């Protein structure tokens, strides 16, 4: 354990390692807090936040290739495959291989998956009430975060 003098010297010698100077930290902390806002809203429906965003993509696009779904949600195959398996076990989706190319798997919502949309239709508004940002700031943040995601491609 360092002395107060060692800590002060470390702050001077390694300013790049100060938590307050890291862009990654507020992004990480904000993402965790947002998921914590959604969790109690999704739990009664038996959904995780990650399943919820998969549903959002499927409700918007219908039948989707697993690879495209992963790319659009920034989820790797190791995360997406077990998630989709669980969603299929719950009867929300079906997965089927493309007849022309068996490496390609499509995900399609079942009737039960479509019905869930009605149950969550007010969820964005409920979650939004927990984030006390003016609409203009929310929009700017949204745009900046997408700009960041695009720059990291």
């Amino acid at each position: 354990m360092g002395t107060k003098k060692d800590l002060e010297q470390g702050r001077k010698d390694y300013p790049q390692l100060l938590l307050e100077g890291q862009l990654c930290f507020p992004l990480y902390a904000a993402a965790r807090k947002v998921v914590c806002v959604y969790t109690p809203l999704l739990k009664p429906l038996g959904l995780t936040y990650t399943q919820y965003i998969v549903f959002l993509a499927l409700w918007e696009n219908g039948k989707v290739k697993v690879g495209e779904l992963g790319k659009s949600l920034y989820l790797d195959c190791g995360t997406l495959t077990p998630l989709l398996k669980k969603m299929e076990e719950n009867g929300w989706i079906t997965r089927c291989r493309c007849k022309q190319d068996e490496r390609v798997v499509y995900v399609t919502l079942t009737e039960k998956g479509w019905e869930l949309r009605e149950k969550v239709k007010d969820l964005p508004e409920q979650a939004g009430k927990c984030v006390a940002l003016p609409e203009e700031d929310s929009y700017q943040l949204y745009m900046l975060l997408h700009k960041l995601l695009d720059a990291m491609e």
Side-chain angles (χ1 to χ4, degrees):
M1 186 163 156
T3 65
K4 186 175 180 181
K5 185 178 178 184
D6 291 337
L7 291 174
E8 289 172 11
Q9 190 62 46
R11 288 180 66 86
K12 289 178 187 172
D13 292 345
Y14 300 97
Q16 71 275 21
L17 297 179
L18 296 175
L19 186 59
E20 66 195 33
Q22 306 300 314
L23 175 61
C24 60
F25 179 70
L27 287 170
Y28 163 78
R32 285 183 39 88
K33 287 202 176 264
V34 166
V35 171
C36 286
V37 165
Y38 276 87
T39 298
L41 301 171
L42 294 167
K43 193 169 187 163
L45 300 168
L47 287 174
T48 65
Y49 179 77
T50 312
Q51 289 170 331
Y52 172 67
I53 64 171
V54 168
F55 273 116
L56 293 175
L58 292 172
W59 290 325
E60 185 175 330
N61 299 301
K63 185 177 182 179
V64 180
K65 292 178 186 176
V66 170
E68 291 172 0
L69 188 61
K71 185 175 180 183
S72 69
L73 298 176
Y74 300 92
L75 296 173
D76 61 50
C77 195
T79 300
L80 193 54
T81 299
L83 183 74
L84 293 175
K85 183 178 179 185
K86 178 77 172 165
M87 292 174 77
E88 189 170 36
E89 288 169 2
N90 285 331
W92 293 324
I93 64 162
T94 58
R95 294 179 294 167
C96 63
R97 294 203 176 274
C98 176
K99 288 181 171 64
Q100 292 80 13
D101 185 349
E102 293 221 351
R103 297 171 296 177
V104 176
V105 177
Y106 285 97
V107 181
T108 309
L109 287 161
T110 63
E111 191 63 36
K112 187 177 176 183
W114 281 108
E115 289 169 1
L116 195 56
R117 182 171 62 165
E118 182 65 26
K119 295 177 183 175
V120 300
K121 71 178 193 276
D122 298 324
L123 204 134
E125 184 180 345
Q126 292 170 352
K129 289 178 183 175
C130 299
V131 180
L133 276 179
E135 191 174 331
E136 185 178 314
D137 289 350
S138 293
Y139 179 74
Q140 284 182 324
L141 178 59
Y142 173 86
M143 296 304 290
L144 283 171
L145 289 172
H146 275 282
K147 195 173 187 177
L148 175 65
L149 286 169
D150 291 344
M152 295 179 80
E153 283 290 310

